[in-house]
Amino acid sequence: MSDISILQTIIIAIVEGLTEFLPVSSTGHMIITQNLLGVESTPFVKAFTFIIQFGAILSVVVLYWKRFFKLNDTPAPKKATRLQCLLHKYDFYWKLFIAFIPAAVLGLLFNDLIDEMLESVVVVAVTLILGGIFMLFCDKIFNKGSKKTELTEKRAFWIGLFQCISMIPGVSRSMATIVGGMAQKLTRKKAAEFSFFLAVPTMFAATLFKILKILLEPGGFELIMDNMGTLIVGNVVAFVVALLAIKFFISFVTKYGFKAFGWYRIILGGLILLLLLTGHNLTIA
């Protein structure tokens, strides 16, 4: 018997699809939703919340496939070496790799600590509030960027460092990388789009790592196979919902900025803390 029902799977996957690319923390929202639904935090459920992110990131590949699979066809710099010509041709993927490195290294080093924090609703609530307060002012802190600002290797690496902050549940990978992009003088739209692209290698690696971790444990293969239907449903639902969420977010944030998301985070985080302080355990099922 699965640790999570089909209805619970669909609800959590909808939450994942809606929030993966919004600066409100998809992991935090899934933890909250899991608690509200009374889903026990078993090893499979923890892995499930990572694995269904794969469905969400596939939406980026589908929506941006022309840019995602396009090589750099501009002439390489004069007197460039063979390696420099190769990196120039695969410039997009090279910068994604550079931005991916910091999270990959820290994720491997602190995986157990991250798993522990994933069980804390309090951590999620506090980081939602702190991140929300920051988002109220981030448009003023960082200028809107220059249309001529290009993504260099150095800027990509700094965005990757910002992404590491999102390992704390409730921070939001999307928020961290978009803010990182804006700090590097990218426009909100450019920063948001690179955040989407960076989600592909980052979340794919996290998904693969979780699957391998389960498979290496006794009975892990059987656990995956017994819950394959749950994983398929979760990924499909997250994929479809994320397609809609990305289109909405790009349009909204380009026009209005991040203040609305900041207020949402503060209100949600405050409500969670209030419920916990008054003795509620957030479980309704």
Side-chain angles (χ1 to χ4, degrees):
M1 183 177 177
S2 177
D3 296 329
I4 179 172
S5 70
I6 290 298
L7 178 59
Q8 291 168 334
T9 296
I10 293 173
I11 293 174
I12 294 175
I14 289 174
V15 171
E16 158 61 17
L18 283 173
T19 59
E20 177 61 44
F21 300 105
L22 303 185
V24 295
S25 176
S26 62
T27 301
H29 276 71
M30 283 193 288
I31 292 172
I32 294 167
T33 304
Q34 177 186 324
N35 277 268
L36 289 172
L37 295 174
V39 178
E40 185 181 352
S41 187
T42 64
F44 171 74
V45 170
K46 287 182 181 180
F48 169 80
T49 58
F50 273 91
I51 293 172
I52 65 170
Q53 291 175 328
F54 180 72
I57 63 173
L58 279 181
S59 63
V60 176
V61 179
V62 171
L63 283 176
Y64 292 95
W65 69 272
K66 287 185 178 180
R67 291 174 58 184
F68 203 83
F69 295 106
K70 183 180 180 181
L71 300 180
N72 188 357
D73 55 5
T74 60
K78 293 182 178 180
K79 297 183 179 180
T81 64
R82 183 173 297 182
L83 177 60
Q84 289 173 329
C85 290
L86 185 65
L87 293 179
H88 178 78
K89 183 176 182 180
Y90 293 93
D91 178 68
F92 172 72
Y93 304 106
W94 173 238
K95 289 172 183 174
L96 275 186
F97 177 71
I98 291 174
F100 164 72
I101 290 175
V105 173
L106 292 182
L108 288 172
L109 291 175
F110 298 104
N111 177 68
D112 291 339
L113 177 60
I114 294 169
D115 278 348
E116 289 179 14
M117 289 192 294
L118 286 175
E119 297 183 6
S120 176
V121 178
V122 175
V123 171
V124 172
V126 171
T127 51
L128 279 173
I129 294 172
L130 294 177
I133 293 172
F134 174 79
M135 293 193 75
L136 295 181
F137 304 99
C138 69
D139 282 318
K140 293 182 179 179
I141 295 174
F142 305 110
N143 61 37
K144 296 184 179 180
S146 168
K147 292 182 180 180
K148 296 181 180 179
T149 300
E150 295 299 326
L151 182 69
T152 62
E153 294 175 353
K154 182 178 179 180
R155 290 189 175 111
F157 183 74
W158 272 103
I159 294 172
L161 290 177
F162 271 82
Q163 179 173 239
C164 294
I165 304 172
S166 66
M167 292 180 181
I168 303 172
V171 169
S172 170
R173 192 206 62 81
S174 177
M175 182 189 81
T177 50
I178 291 173
V179 168
M182 291 172 65
Q184 296 304 305
K185 307 301 182 182
L186 299 182
T187 62
R188 285 194 297 241
K189 184 176 181 180
K190 283 185 178 180
E193 288 180 343
F194 187 72
S195 172
F196 298 162
F197 297 143
L198 183 55
V200 176
T202 302
M203 301 317 303
F204 177 77
T207 299
L208 184 61
F209 179 78
K210 288 295 179 181
I211 292 175
L212 290 176
K213 190 175 180 180
I214 291 177
L215 292 176
L216 291 174
E217 295 176 354
F221 179 77
E222 290 77 10
L223 181 64
I224 291 292
M225 295 308 297
D226 290 344
N227 292 278
M228 186 58 68
T230 299
L231 294 174
I232 292 174
V233 171
N235 275 284
V236 170
V237 173
F239 169 78
V240 173
V241 176
L243 284 174
L244 303 175
I246 290 177
K247 290 183 177 180
F248 159 77
F249 178 64
I250 284 292
S251 175
F252 185 91
V253 78
T254 301
K255 188 173 183 179
Y256 300 107
F258 299 101
K259 188 170 289 188
F261 296 106
W263 282 117
Y264 170 78
R265 290 175 62 105
I266 293 171
I267 293 170
L268 179 61
L271 180 60
I272 293 169
L273 286 182
L274 179 63
L275 289 172
L276 292 174
L277 289 173
T278 53
H280 296 79
N281 61 6
L282 300 185
T283 300
I284 61 175

